[in-house]
Amino acid sequence: MSETTETTYKPTSPNSKLDFASVWEYDPAPESTDHVEVKEKYELFIDGKFVKPSKGRYFSTTNPATGKKLTEFAEATQKDIDKAVKSARKAFEGEWSELAPKTRGKYLFRIARMLQERAREFAVLESMDGGKPIRESRDVDIPLVAAHFFYYAGWADKLEYAFPGKTPEPIGVCGQIIPWNFPLLMLAWKIAPALACGNTVVLKPAETTSLTAMKFAELVKDAGVPDGVINIVTGAGQTGAEIVNHKDIDKIAFTGSTRVGKIIQQSLAGTDKRYSLELGGKGAMIIFEDAPIDQAVEGIINAIFFNQGHVCCAGSRLIVQESVADKVVQKLKDRMQTLVVGDPLDKNTDVGAINSENQFNTVNKYLEIGINEGADIYQCDCELPADGYFIRPTLLTNVSQSNRVVQEEIFGPVLTIQTFRTADEAITKANNTPYGLANGVWTDKGSKIFKIGSKLRSGVVWANTYNKFDPTSPFGGYKESGVGREGGLQGLSAYVNLK
Ligand code: NAP
Ligand code: MG
């Protein structure tokens, strides 16, 4: 017999039985940035032109993986918002409304195709400005962006079939405000259905991730979309508030935190503006003992760690049946040790940079809160880059339902773990937060999926998978996770008045 039949790894890591470091070392494989252009500063995109902000003020955005300044954006104030709304109104009442629906669709198809052509450029910029791994922006974000434009392009001349027996009419000028976690995708969720239904828009991207929105403005110009149909104004929260409170806007579509969503709801109370709100979440993943455990562990990793937990519907709570809890947690820990955390532009990276210094501080604050509440903490042993904002993927065990880390949205790579004995207990725990955006169930039994799924109070319930998106599927929340739906046929209703 040969003496070299030994195949087990020697344990060296304090947290794990396996020496993963020696198995999972990859050479760096950074995506090139030679093909992208980042200007020194970006102006506002109003009425088809790039214009300077009325007060001449600019703010900078950083690359969160390095902490270094990337570029500057113009700060839109009330005067600029007014200009953008006027241009959107003129386009709505003029050229845009006179176009045949089929022609509106053609513009959307053209945008979709141009996004595909420039996909690599958009993906690199999204990762540079927001910190998400290139694998995510290249394989998930940008393809979904194009898919949304294709999907809604198809509806533009078929709206009467979407609403049988009714006459759909556009609402008018839509004010749209989006967050930083899926910058270009949230833009697509907002702009594509609005335009397909014949509306015009004034959109504000998030302060820390406006770069791809401004690149999109350049694409809109190249696509020859009529002036004023799409206006993109950059700025901070105050700029968003100016949009919300502008008298000549007919509808507000907001995606962001529940805190700001409530402020917006209060501002709109008593006005005749329509609104839709996509807010926070605290998704639970329920794992039954009969689930395919390895598949479930991979699903959990994807649900909470791959995008640094910067996903509104992230599976940030694991609720696992007691009989398999130890096994699942051990497998999870082993898998976590193999995650590559670091440069977002490296093709091997699983977990990129936390989006901003603010968010970095928020996540760390929650880790401290969790520990003070009595949680046990487990983190990957991986080395973190010296610069930028990085947090190790983290498990919090020994938590209870009333703990803040179980109730509140952390929006980082942090997973809390609870156990259950009966299905009813799992459902009660999953439903016991103020949110209701998405949940997941992992089991071998189809009947269990339907039974549990129907009792989970959330807009989405995934079964034996998580975080899967498709432009044809509606998305939205129960409870404090929002009002209205985006995506699919239901997403059209948010942009039409029905007669
Ligand atoms: P946020 O602080 O609520 O900001 C969202 C957007 O609103 C940003 O553009 C922000 O500008 C702007 N804003 C801030 N204050 C405002 C105000 N008073 N009036 C009008 N606009 C205002 O949320 P975030 O931290 O960027 O994003 C993370 C949140 O979004 C999470 O809670 C996440 O769950 C949620 N989210 C939900 C969905 C969904 O579909 N349900 C999808 C993605 C994200 P600044 O960038 O300048 O602050
Ligand atoms: Mg940035």
Side-chain angles (χ1 to χ4, degrees), residues 171-365:
I171 298 175
V173 176
C174 301
Q176 306 181 316
I177 301 163
I178 56 173
W180 45 259
N181 59 339
F182 286 91
L184 199 64
L185 184 57
M186 291 299 108
L187 173 149
W189 279 27
K190 298 274 179 287
I191 292 185
L195 262 59
C197 294
N199 303 281
T200 57
V201 305
V202 175
L203 177 132
K204 185 194 102 63
E207 213 175 324
T208 58
T209 54
S210 298
L211 186 51
T212 46
M214 293 321 298
K215 274 277 158 187
F216 179 80
E218 291 172 2
L219 183 148
V220 166
K221 210 164 158 37
D222 293 347
V225 176
D227 293 349
V229 172
I230 297 174
N231 301 276
I232 300 184
V233 287
T234 41
Q238 184 54 33
T239 305
E242 299 289 359
I243 294 177
V244 171
N245 295 319
H246 195 287
K247 295 217 162 21
D248 200 30
I249 284 185
D250 302 299
K251 185 222 155 90
I252 295 293
F254 171 79
T255 297
S257 63
T258 296
R259 183 186 68 80
V260 174
K262 285 180 181 175
I263 296 174
I264 292 178
Q265 219 170 11
Q266 279 162 6
S267 311
L268 297 180
T271 73
D272 61 357
K273 283 187 190 128
R274 287 189 46 188
Y275 65 89
S276 48
L277 308 171
E278 296 279 358
L279 308 176
K282 192 72 183 172
M285 292 175 287
I286 301 176
I287 315 271
F288 283 94
E289 61 188 2
D290 59 13
I293 300 290
D294 289 326
Q295 192 185 322
V297 166
E298 202 50 39
I300 298 165
I301 295 282
N302 171 43
I304 184 66
F305 297 135
F306 276 179
N307 213 3
Q308 300 79 251
H310 292 345
V311 185
C312 51
C313 51
S316 53
R317 293 181 295 148
L318 172 62
I319 303 180
V320 53
Q321 196 152 15
E322 210 173 81
S323 48
V324 289
D326 288 347
K327 185 174 166 190
V328 169
V329 173
Q330 188 53 53
K331 279 183 181 269
L332 200 51
K333 287 179 175 175
D334 288 347
R335 176 67 176 94
M336 281 167 71
Q337 292 296 347
T338 70
L339 290 174
V340 180
V341 184
D343 180 7
L345 285 180
D346 193 311
K347 292 163 201 151
N348 295 322
T349 295
D350 297 309
V351 184
I354 301 295
N355 182 265
S356 63
E357 189 179 4
N358 254 346
Q359 190 57 23
F360 177 76
N361 292 337
T362 303
V363 178
N364 279 317
K365 183 192 82 187

Side-chain angles (χ1 to χ4, degrees), residues 23-38:
V23 187
W24 298 100
E25 282 286 317
Y26 292 108
D27 282 336
E31 169 70 48
S32 156
T33 55
D34 298 349
H35 57 102
V36 301
E37 186 208 5
V38 180

Side-chain angles (χ1 to χ4, degrees), residues 180 280-283 304 308-312 314-317 354 358-371 373 375 391-392 394-396 399 403-417 435:
W180 45 259
K282 192 72 183 172
I304 184 66
Q308 300 79 251
H310 292 345
V311 185
C312 51
S316 53
R317 293 181 295 148
I354 301 295
N358 254 346
Q359 190 57 23
F360 177 76
N361 292 337
T362 303
V363 178
N364 279 317
K365 183 192 82 187
Y366 271 110
L367 293 182
E368 211 178 298
I369 291 171
I371 291 165
E373 287 176 322
I391 292 181
R392 291 188 170 82
T394 304
L395 301 182
L396 293 178
V399 295
N403 286 168
R404 285 184 64 188
V405 288
V406 173
Q407 291 291 321
E408 298 174 19
E409 188 180 39
I410 300 175
F411 225 56
V414 182
L415 178 69
T416 62
I417 302 184
Y435 297 108

Side-chain angles (χ1 to χ4, degrees), residues 61-64 129-130 208-209:
T61 185
T62 53
N63 176 341
D129 198 15
T208 58
T209 54

